[in-house]
Every structure is written in structure tokens, then in C-alpha cells.
Amino acid sequence: YYYYYYSKQPSFLQMSSSSTSNNNNNNKNNNKFHFCIDRGGTFTDVHCILPSGEHVVRKLLSEDPTHYPDAPTEGIRRILHEFNHAAAATATTTTTTVPPAAQEEEDAAAPVQDNDVLSTEYIGSIRMGTTVATNALLERDGSPMALLITKGFGQLLDIGTQARPNIFDLACRKPSLLYRRVVEINERVTLNEYYEDNNDNDNHDDVDTVLLAQGLTEETVRIVKRPDPEEIRAALQQLRDDGIESLAVCLMHSYTFADHELLIGKIASEIGFPGQVSLSHQIMPMVKLVSRAHTACASAYLTPKITAYLDGFLKGFDDGLITGRVPLTFIQSDGGLSPYHSFGGHLAILSGPAGGVVGYSKTTPPGSPVIGFDMGGTSTDVSRYDGSSYELVLETTIDGVSIQAPQLDIHTVAAGGGSRLFWKHGLLRVGPESARAHPGPVCYRKPGGVLAVTDANLVLGRLLPQEFPNIFGPNEDEPLDVEASRAAFVQLLQETGTDLTLEELASGYLQVANEAMCRPIRNLTQMKGHDIQQHTLACFGGAGPQHACAMAQALGIPKVFVHRYGGVLSAYGLSMADAVSDVQEPTGGHEYNPETGDTDYTEPLERLQQQAMATLRKQGFANDEIVITKYLNLRYKGTDNAIMTTTTTTTTSSEDNNKKPYHVVFEEQYQREFGFTLQRPLLVDDVRIRAIVPGKSAPKADASSSSLAKVVAPEEEAPKPSYHHQAYFGNSWQSVPVYHLEKLEPGHVLQGPAILVQSISTIVLEEHCSALITADGDLDISVGSATITTTTTT
């Protein structure tokens, strides 16, 4: 089905064009359309700043081949189609390939012909986030690839690190590997520092005369065996003949001595592989062979999928995107924007949820750290923002693949609005299976529909069918089917054989779902030494506001924040993202000197800084726009837990925001995360430069405008509900008020229980909670303690 809406806003939310100005010179309004698009697995969200400065949003299915070949292109086309009169009024010429705006909306939604190409004349910029790489990784649908690795290590990734993520799982599944073939390269490089001269190592027929060389880290390496170019050429030609399109090359110690990888790359280029050739020292020059090999494999496996998608997207436009006249950037896993031609597969795995992290970090009121809660139909993503910087990790494992790259610390749990409800072994179970859009929850009126979290919310009166578009049923013209959901719960209730009521059963499932989503939030806060009660819960995503208050009460979080664009915040966040260039190189584990700090690494840091700044200058930024942050990757000698450390603390206290020495910051972070420190020297594994051009701040309503001259005092004028509705709160049915947010004014305070309706989401205000309408039209919810109800099945 197709869901389409216009972001209707109260008058006090209309923004002037001056409020949309941006520090990023690639996104100045300049009387053009600026698009930010989040292409999800089910829906694509489009946020656009019009030439007038107004904001509009659109939501459409990510795949609908009967109506359009590509959802982001179609979203752009429809907005240009609808608002083309604005472009015509400001353009220097009236020539355009965009149809006139006067046509009917159904014409705008008509199927697109294959030869339709959009003009970029009125487009100022396009920013995108996508789950293409994520889905390809999870579904193992990447490019046919092979791994080239040092002889004797062909089974390295199959053996892995021997980590057991679920040690009590009796039916654990070993994730499949990304490559189809392994070729062992007869070469060998060792570190001279760890070489044991027992003569036996040098007395084999396949060992050359040992040469010594200095690596990038200034470590001395022993070139024990040089690779044979002809052997490599023959092996690569055989791979190409067998249909292999991409290569991942990862040799021992190539992070410091890359000559052998470069030789293989040169030969592969001469043979011609249509996919990607990823050399591990270029993808991520760090120690740890297993993670480096996994990262190179991810790059080779996923980058062709990104390239294929980009090729299709670019074909929908004239040459304005290819020539760079119109900037096309993608958000990476670290929350930074990258030009489309630099957007690699291993940097794109968290591209989808990254925009949401930027969105809530830029829109949530300052004063406390924030937990991001993004609940969609299939899964929920949670993250943390400390009030000053994103929480980044340098290594994470996704579906058995360890990725070494800067990434936002996002935890995903398989619980969403479409998570299925089961009765197993006398217990209520939610997910991880999802009803998805097809067949969907029972209430969708589709054959084969299954009970899901959405059905539980519906039968408890927490979702209002009359507020949803009539897009369900065989003819896609019917509302959500409450009676079908109730009938399915009655059948499930009979299967349980318990004395629960239908309401208690549905409420119990919601408690289980909420607890599943609370778990990763605790892991991000309490497990890392943070006080969870000092945080604000920023919720977004289509289903998030239905559960946020109940989860905040369970976690003891006192504040919930819901942005007016919460339903499309991942797209909206792209408009405020930073342009980023992040580079690093290894140092060889030299001992850190507290007296000199990073001055011992001035040369590599300066070189990396110039490299990062040059990358941003190529994108059109000036030197004075670029902000540089220096990092040292520190660890205690004799340990394996390194922390990427800068001289700026991650606290929001004014007295702690002064520069501190690296070792002091490291010890504070180590103490908080592990609960102790060691009296040992520190080693520096890597140096890193992160160069950013800060994105714009969230637009704020103009306080001087007449629409904001009067802020309603709660005692002066109580908000009036649109109507009342029967909903189940606590242990009983209650008549609760229903409010349409566009009818409310700044300063209005709503008391729970209540249901708040936006054009893009439904907010459930639990008992003992109150919501303030801010001057910007957002919701600032104060959470009171709740009486915890327990559902037992005996």
C-alpha cells in the first residue's frame, strides 16, 4: 500500500527562510530545493526545504515497481512536481523538465516512464541515508568475492576469534562467511622485534633471503618470503574466469608494510575485476588481522551493491549530480556526510539509523545526556548522545562480521510494531520474527496476517483506526480492522488455557516488548557506568511514541522528548549532519609519555590533518570552516582494551570541559567502563584525525513573531480535546482525551492518560505523565512514577 502525507503545521511552526540557513556551504537555501532522504527497508522518508524556506515531508514505499523504479527519485519528483511554481518564481529561466504543479495529485503519483529524467536545475542538494548495505549484509546478497590472504591463514575467518555471543544457546548458528573462495598467497612478513632466531625459520625451500625494511609504524619488518607476481596473476585470472567479481586482500602485517598488498592490487587492476578490490591497509590500517580481514571483506562484498544502486539513482537525473554541480552526499555509519563517490560498503552499514542519531542530538534540548529510541516496524535502534559528542566505537560485530571502522554506537533489538506475538512453553514471547508489511499484522486485513505488537496496541485502544488513512483491505480503502485483532487474541487466549482476560494478555505482550527494548538502553548506560536517571529519552520512528512513556517509567527516566518530525527524524537529521573526513594510521604500540602528550606524534598527526582537510576542501569547504579533533588510541601495556582518546572530555559539566591530558581522560573513561585502573604504562596503537564541517543547528521558531507573542499559561486556558476515546490504562478501561497537536498552542500542558495525534505518529501519554507543547511544536514530557502491573500466566 501507499502512504502519502503533507506535513501540516500550526501557524506558530511556520519557519522563515532565514531560519533554514546553514553553516554548510553545500546546503545554503539559494532559492532551490534541498532534499534529505532516508531510504529504509519498508518506507522511504523525504524531507525537503523549499525555496521559500518552508519544510515539507513525504513518506512512500521503498519498493513499488508498479508505480516507480526508485523511491528516493520518485519522492524528489513528486515534490518538484507539486511545488514547481515556487521554483518557477525564482528561476532565471522557465525551462524545466518537471511537469506543471497544477496537475492533480493522482497525476503526480502516476507511474513513471523509464525514459523520464529529472532536471537538477532547481535542486540545491541531495543528502541520503540508506539500508542497502545493511540489508545486503544480513541477507548475504553482496558481490561474488574472494579473499586473498597470507599462506597458512586460509581458514582464519572461519575460525574467527572463538567469541561466543550466546553461550547458553543450544541451537546456535554460525554465520556464513562473505567470500566464496580463498586464495592463499605465498608470502610472509614478520616483525623483527618478535622474531626468534632459532635458524629453523630460515631453512625452508620456500623462504627467500631475509630482508629487513622499515614499516609505516617505524617498526622493522623481516621480509621472509616475497610473493611471485606470475603465481598471483594466474590465481587471479582463474578467479575472474570462475565468476568472481570482487577481491578482499589482507596480508599479515600489511598495516605497517603494504608493498605486497599493493602488488596484488596492481595485478588485479590489470586483469580487471568489475566489482571492488579492497586492500586491507587502505580500508582500515590497524592491527588485529581477523577484524581487518572482515572489514576488507565487507568493503569488497558490499561496495558493488552501493555502486549499483548509485548508478540506478544517477540515471534518473541529468548530469548535474555526476558533474558535482548539485552535491550528492550520503551519511556514513559514523554520522558524517561523504560524497557519493567515496561512499564505501563497510562505511554504510549503519547509514540508515545514523540520520536519526544526528536528528535527536541536534533537536533535543541541552542540559542532560540523551538516549535515542528509534522504534520502527521490524526493529528498534537505541543510542546515546552525551550532550557534546557522538558515542563512536571503532570495532563492532554485525551478523558475525567484525567491522573495524568508526561507527555510531547503535544497538539494535528485534522488537518493533510488526514483531509477532507467540505463546511458547507457558510464556509470552515477542519476536524476533516480524509480520513485516506483507502479510502484516492481523489488523491490516491481508490474507495470512499474524498477531503483532500493533494488534496489541489496537485492541487496547492505544491506536485509533479513525486517525489512520483507509488504505487496508483488498481494495486498499478500508480502516484498520479492530475486530479481527480482537478475534485473533480470543483464539490465542483459548490456546493459553489461562484465566487471563484479553486485555491482560495484550497488556502483557506490551510489557514483554517494552522490556526487550529497555535491555539495550541499560547496556548503553548502566553497563558503561552512566546514571540512567540523568538522561532524557528522545523517541522517534513510527512506533516509538506509543511506547516511550511506559519505557521511561520502567527505566526511571524523568524526561521524554518527541520532536515534531519524530516520524521522519532520520531524514530530517540529514539536513543537520556534519561533513566529515576521518583518517588514521597505526603507530606500532609505542609507549605514551605523559610529559609530552601528542607532541611525540606531531609528524603523523600533521600529515593526517592535511590529508583530511584536503578531502573537505575538494568538497568546496574553506579551511576556516573545518574543525579538527586529534585522537590517540591508548591501552594499558599487557592488555587488549584500547580506548580512542581525545583531550576533550565527554562530560557536559563546565568545569570538566577544559582540555585534559590524554592519559587523564583515558583513565577516567577506563574507570567508568571497567570499574578500576591499572598502574601500568600506556601504549599508543594509533593516531587519528577527525575533521568536520559542522552542520546547521535545528531551526527554531521566531520568538518575535506575532504568533508567539502570547504563550498560553496552563491555568489561563486549558487545552480542549478533540474527543474522548476508550483505552486500557493500568488495569481498567478509561475514557481518555484525544488531542490533535496541530490544534494546540505553545504552553499547553496535557495530563495523562491521553492520546496525542500527529500527522505522522501517535503519542501515548501514560498515567502520571504530562506533556508540554514547546514554542517549536515539540513535546516535552515529564514522566512520573507508575504502578507496575504484572501479568502472570499461571
Side-chain angles (χ1 to χ4, degrees), residues 342 349 407 555 759:
S342 302
I349 295 174
Q407 301 176 65
L555 292 165
S759 61

Side-chain angles (χ1 to χ4, degrees), residues 1 443-447 470-479 481:
Y1 57 85
C443 60
Y444 278 17
R445 298 178 182 266
K446 291 185 178 181
N470 293 341
I471 56 176
F472 305 98
N475 299 320
E476 300 185 351
D477 59 357
E478 299 179 72
D481 193 343

Side-chain angles (χ1 to χ4, degrees), residues 454-669:
T454 297
D455 293 300
N457 277 309
L458 187 63
V459 300
L460 295 177
R462 292 165 173 251
L463 285 180
L464 311 177
Q466 63 270 30
E467 301 293 346
F468 277 70
N470 293 341
I471 56 176
F472 305 98
N475 299 320
E476 300 185 351
D477 59 357
E478 299 179 72
L480 292 170
D481 193 343
V482 183
E483 294 307 316
S485 296
R486 290 188 63 86
F489 266 106
V490 169
Q491 181 179 351
L492 178 60
L493 192 59
Q494 293 172 349
E495 295 176 7
T496 66
T498 66
D499 58 357
L500 294 174
T501 65
L502 184 150
E503 291 79 11
E504 289 173 337
L505 181 64
S507 181
Y509 276 114
L510 292 186
Q511 291 180 45
V512 173
N514 289 345
E515 177 56 31
M517 294 182 289
C518 285
R519 224 168 283 138
I521 293 177
R522 295 190 184 100
N523 290 339
L524 276 173
T525 52
Q526 294 170 334
M527 292 292 288
K528 293 189 175 183
H530 302 293
D531 185 353
I532 196 170
Q533 296 184 3
Q534 301 299 317
H535 290 69
T536 296
L537 184 67
C539 79
F540 52 104
Q546 299 163 31
H547 296 256
C549 288
M551 291 178 56
Q553 288 176 331
L555 292 165
I557 297 176
K559 287 283 186 181
V560 172
F561 181 77
V562 183
H563 191 266
R564 60 189 177 278
Y565 289 140
V568 293
L569 195 63
S570 289
Y572 182 59
L574 289 169
S575 67
M576 300 174 284
D578 304 331
V580 171
S581 177
D582 199 311
V583 289
Q584 71 179 64
E585 69 178 41
T587 64
H590 297 298
E591 189 168 318
Y592 171 79
N593 185 346
E595 300 297 326
T596 56
D598 62 14
T599 57
D600 291 339
Y601 304 94
T602 299
E603 189 277 328
L605 285 171
E606 179 63 27
R607 175 164 32 84
L608 293 177
Q609 178 173 325
Q610 293 304 319
Q611 178 183 337
M613 294 180 68
T615 299
L616 292 176
R617 284 196 300 269
K618 288 181 181 178
Q619 300 175 38
F621 300 106
N623 284 343
D624 58 3
E625 296 180 276
I626 302 173
V627 178
I628 299 295
T629 305
K630 301 176 182 179
Y631 293 87
L632 300 181
N633 198 23
L634 299 175
R635 61 182 171 88
Y636 283 119
K637 186 175 183 179
T639 71
D640 196 37
N641 297 105
I643 297 177
M644 192 64 74
T645 309
T646 184
T647 53
T648 303
T649 66
T650 57
T651 66
T652 57
S653 170
S654 59
E655 64 180 86
D656 287 334
N657 266 339
N658 297 321
K659 294 282 187 177
K660 291 185 178 181
Y662 287 94
H663 64 284
V664 173
V665 177
F666 171 85
E667 289 173 351
E668 289 177 351
Q669 293 178 324

Side-chain angles (χ1 to χ4, degrees), residues 50-343:
L50 302 179
S52 65
E54 294 180 276
H55 295 230
V56 295
V57 290
R58 295 289 183 269
K59 183 184 286 283
L60 59 161
L61 288 173
S62 292
E63 295 184 6
D64 191 358
T66 60
H67 287 92
Y68 44 80
D70 179 68
T73 305
E74 178 65 8
I76 293 172
R77 187 185 77 87
R78 292 182 181 181
I79 290 178
L80 289 175
H81 193 147
E82 181 177 355
F83 297 96
N84 188 46
H85 61 282
T90 58
T92 57
T93 174
T94 58
T95 304
T96 175
T97 61
V98 182
Q103 286 190 307
E104 300 292 334
E105 179 180 302
E106 52 265 28
D107 291 337
V112 182
Q113 301 300 318
D114 289 340
N115 59 356
D116 281 353
V117 175
L118 289 178
S119 168
T120 57
E121 180 180 357
Y122 301 131
I123 299 176
S125 65
I126 300 175
R127 297 179 172 190
M128 289 182 63
T130 177
T131 58
V132 170
T134 312
N135 295 338
L137 178 62
L138 297 178
E139 298 167 7
R140 293 299 193 260
D141 184 30
S143 173
M145 62 154 292
L147 170 66
L148 279 68
I149 197 167
T150 301
K151 183 178 180 180
F153 293 86
Q155 294 180 307
L156 180 71
L157 298 191
D158 196 24
I159 297 171
T161 62
Q162 294 297 295
R164 303 292 198 273
N166 299 300
I167 59 176
F168 298 111
D169 188 353
L170 299 180
C172 58
R173 179 186 65 88
K174 188 175 182 179
S176 60
L177 297 171
L178 301 183
Y179 53 80
R180 294 187 182 181
R181 298 271 299 277
V182 177
V183 174
E184 297 187 10
I185 303 298
N186 190 15
E187 67 88 40
R188 183 66 174 180
V189 172
T190 64
L191 297 180
N192 192 58
E193 179 182 358
Y194 300 101
Y195 180 77
E196 294 183 6
D197 188 9
N198 56 17
N199 295 324
D200 183 61
N201 293 329
D202 293 339
N203 292 329
H204 296 289
D205 293 337
D206 62 346
V207 172
D208 299 329
T209 302
V210 175
L211 298 177
L212 299 181
Q214 188 176 59
L216 176 66
T217 60
E218 299 183 358
E219 295 172 289
T220 301
V221 298
R222 300 175 66 90
I223 306 173
V224 179
K225 177 65 179 178
R226 292 178 293 277
D228 184 335
E230 294 308 315
E231 286 184 8
I232 294 173
R233 187 178 300 276
L236 294 186
Q237 187 61 58
Q238 185 62 53
L239 291 176
R240 186 68 194 95
D241 294 342
D242 292 345
I244 296 298
E245 298 180 358
S246 298
L247 298 177
V249 184
C250 187
L251 304 180
M252 287 285 289
H253 303 299
S254 63
Y255 67 90
T256 185
F257 184 79
D259 290 16
H260 295 175
E261 282 195 1
L262 290 170
L263 173 64
I264 296 172
K266 179 176 180 296
I267 297 173
S269 177
E270 293 170 355
I271 292 176
F273 283 80
Q276 170 82 4
V277 178
S278 296
L279 308 182
S280 70
H281 77 276
Q282 295 176 347
I283 299 300
M284 183 49 61
M286 293 181 70
V287 294
K288 296 186 178 180
L289 181 64
V290 173
S291 298
R292 185 156 46 88
H294 270 308
T295 306
C297 286
S299 173
Y301 188 72
L302 300 175
T303 299
K305 297 292 290 188
I306 296 289
T307 302
Y309 174 74
L310 283 172
D311 289 343
F313 180 76
L314 292 171
K315 288 178 181 178
F317 299 84
D318 62 22
D319 63 359
L321 299 180
I322 296 177
T323 61
R325 187 173 68 250
V326 176
L328 172 61
T329 53
F330 280 77
I331 191 167
Q332 302 180 130
S333 298
D334 64 356
L337 293 170
S338 170
Y340 76 91
H341 48 75
S342 302
F343 188 55

